Amino acid sequence: MNTVVPFLRTSGPDDVRKAMMSAASDLCYLTGYMAVDEGLHGLAQRYYLQALELAGASEDHLTFCTTCSTSIRPRIRNHDAQALHERARETVRPELTPA
């Protein structure tokens, strides 16, 4: 991820920026998935949250939905799954966040 972040901060055409964020979202999702396999659930959550933020910003609905469905599997504790769900909702539709 350290090599990807500087590219996400550069300016460029909107379609190129969205494609970069979408690719970075996939990378975060896959890194989170690998972290779960290693039993590093806290690290996985951080990567899944980053994947959701990037997928939401790039309007990548496939990666967003894939990350949501993967991140709430029973491998992650229930209260953590709820937090991931709430963060996903805030990322996509902030107006749905309870006051």
Side-chain angles (χ1 to χ4, degrees):
M1 286 305 300
N2 291 340
T3 58
V4 174
V5 171
F7 291 106
L8 295 176
R9 292 186 177 139
T10 61
S11 60
D14 227 18
D15 59 331
V16 174
R17 289 191 45 73
K18 283 186 177 184
M20 289 286 293
M21 286 189 287
S22 177
S25 177
D26 283 333
L27 177 62
C28 288
Y29 164 74
L30 292 172
T31 305
Y33 198 88
M34 290 188 305
V36 168
D37 284 345
E38 294 295 320
L40 304 171
H41 299 287
L43 181 61
Q45 289 174 11
R46 288 193 296 274
Y47 277 110
Y48 285 149
L49 288 173
Q50 190 64 49
L52 291 171
E53 289 178 10
L54 289 165
S58 65
E59 299 174 1
D60 181 350
H61 304 292
L62 177 61
T63 301
F64 190 90
C65 291
T66 302
T67 303
C68 280
S69 67
T70 301
S71 66
I72 61 173
R73 288 190 180 161
R75 292 182 285 184
I76 297 178
R77 297 179 302 274
N78 282 339
H79 70 282
D80 293 332
Q82 180 64 30
L84 285 171
H85 172 75
E86 293 298 323
R87 184 65 181 129
R89 190 174 68 186
E90 291 171 10
T91 301
V92 174
R93 306 234 358 231
E95 69 273 12
L96 296 179
T97 304

